Amino acid sequence: MALLDIKGLRQRFGGVAALDGADVSVEQGRITGLIGPNGAGKTTLFNAVTGALRPDSGTVTFDGTDITGWRPDRLAEIGLSRTFQIARGLAQLTVIENLMLYGKRQQGETFCAAVLRGKAVRAREEELRGRAIEVARELDIIHVGDNRAIDLSGGQKKLLELGRALMAAPKLIMLDEPAAGINPTLAKKLGEHILALKVRGLTFLIVEHNMGLVAALCDHVVVLAQGKRLAEGRFAELRADRRVQDIYMGHRA
Ligand SMILES: Nc1ncnc2c1ncn2[C@@H]1O[C@H](COP(=O)(O)OP(=O)(O)OP(=O)(O)O)[C@@H](O)[C@H]1O
Ligand SMILES: [Mg+2]
């Protein structure tokens, strides 16, 4: 059984069928790539799965649970995270503070906990700080842990975005164009971190236009065109697929 199984997902914007019955499944422990031309519906699919949009129809199953239309905080609780660009307001916070903001919400906060608030909050903060330091170490951004997010390099910002997704201790991380706007050296480094996380047992669904990175990272690739799955397989197979070349690679492969 797939960890994430998307079936017949539809999403319209006025007259545009951004998703027109999309089927995508993501196997546990793999890095799955989602590629396709501009406007194919890749970001819409992410938004419809992660609670930013409510799909018109179709089902999304995660780890055996129907999660169609769930809100992002509930998704994070069952282990599905996605990355977001660092919002302007948070750019003034440090790396560690940014990570702490995205820690898993305290389970079972009760009346008793509320009574003991002072103590509980302090203990919680220490725990979150510990986890944030662990994540920053893992991603090699611990040396800039006390720097403001706004002062980070482009590559470090991408690592911080990944780190925020990791704070929720996810099973699956969805990344929309993780390498966009960073140079090839940093993209390669980001790719190495993603591979290391996969070795540790994490599963990924990645939208990416950088085909070198898709080839290097992805175990399996799904091609989306006009809101539907056109083809899927290993990247090398897809490169040789005439239909894929026609819609996506313009016969370059
Ligand atoms: N909020 C919205 N309102 C109206 N139309 C939208 C909205 N979001 C996306 N669309 C349309 O839906 C279609 C799919 O867009 P989407 O952003 O999902 O494509 P994409 O595959 O992510 O493309 P890219 O590779 O350029 O990021 C496009 O025609 C786009 O114009
Ligand atoms: Mg997009």
Side-chain angles (χ1 to χ4, degrees):
M1 190 185 58
L3 179 59
L4 179 71
D5 201 14
I6 300 166
K7 280 213 159 59
L9 206 60
R10 287 178 198 277
Q11 182 88 54
R12 298 191 71 87
F13 298 110
V16 178
L19 293 175
D20 193 14
D23 300 309
V24 176
S25 67
V26 175
E27 295 294 326
Q28 163 84 47
R30 273 190 181 177
I31 300 177
T32 299
L34 182 65
I35 66 172
N38 296 122
K42 304 177 300 294
T43 297
T44 303
L45 181 135
F46 268 42
N47 288 338
V49 168
T50 59
L53 289 170
R54 249 195 118 79
D56 300 326
S57 60
T59 57
V60 184
T61 308
F62 178 72
D63 212 6
T65 303
D66 185 340
I67 57 156
T68 316
W70 280 29
R71 304 297 315 160
D73 51 344
R74 246 182 116 193
L75 293 172
E77 271 168 26
I78 63 160
L80 195 159
S81 288
R82 72 175 290 184
T83 54
F84 282 103
Q85 283 195 337
I86 298 152
R88 199 172 294 173
L90 303 182
Q92 299 297 332
L93 299 181
T94 69
V95 165
I96 295 295
E97 287 164 348
N98 261 284
L99 290 173
M100 288 173 68
L101 271 181
Y102 282 78
K104 209 166 191 164
R105 192 169 305 160
Q106 188 139 26
Q107 304 285 327
E109 170 109 12
T110 60
F111 175 72
C112 275
V115 170
L116 297 168
R117 179 159 296 165
K119 210 169 175 181
V121 166
R122 271 193 304 280
R124 172 72 183 140
E125 198 168 306
E126 276 321 297
E127 184 197 324
L128 270 179
R129 184 176 301 278
R131 171 98 187 110
I133 289 170
E134 205 177 286
V135 166
R137 268 206 194 104
E138 181 158 39
L139 295 177
D140 286 335
I141 48 175
I142 189 69
H143 60 294
V144 290
D146 293 326
N147 293 18
R148 294 180 310 163
I150 198 170
D151 297 326
L152 298 178
S153 74
Q156 288 167 339
K157 278 195 188 106
K158 294 285 178 183
L159 289 170
L160 176 55
E161 288 168 17
L162 178 58
R164 292 193 309 184
L166 281 174
M167 283 296 292
K171 295 178 188 144
L172 170 70
I173 299 186
M174 294 175 54
L175 305 167
D176 193 358
E177 301 195 35
I182 60 175
N183 72 48
T185 310
L186 292 174
K188 190 159 173 275
K189 196 165 157 80
L190 183 68
E192 283 161 11
H193 281 296
I194 292 170
L195 281 174
L197 291 166
K198 173 187 132 169
V199 168
R200 240 191 47 194
L202 267 157
T203 304
F204 289 89
L205 178 62
I206 303 183
V207 168
E208 185 52 62
H209 284 292
N210 177 337
M211 289 302 133
L213 203 58
V214 172
L217 291 184
C218 297
D219 303 294
H220 188 78
V221 176
V222 178
V223 183
L224 203 67
Q226 296 178 345
K228 280 201 269 291
R229 181 182 57 196
L230 176 82
E232 68 179 306
R234 299 190 62 84
F235 182 72
E237 295 160 10
L238 294 172
R239 267 169 77 125
D241 184 323
R242 195 54 183 257
R243 292 168 308 157
V244 177
Q245 292 172 9
D246 282 346
I247 62 110
Y248 193 73
M249 294 168 181
H251 298 285
R252 274 182 287 125

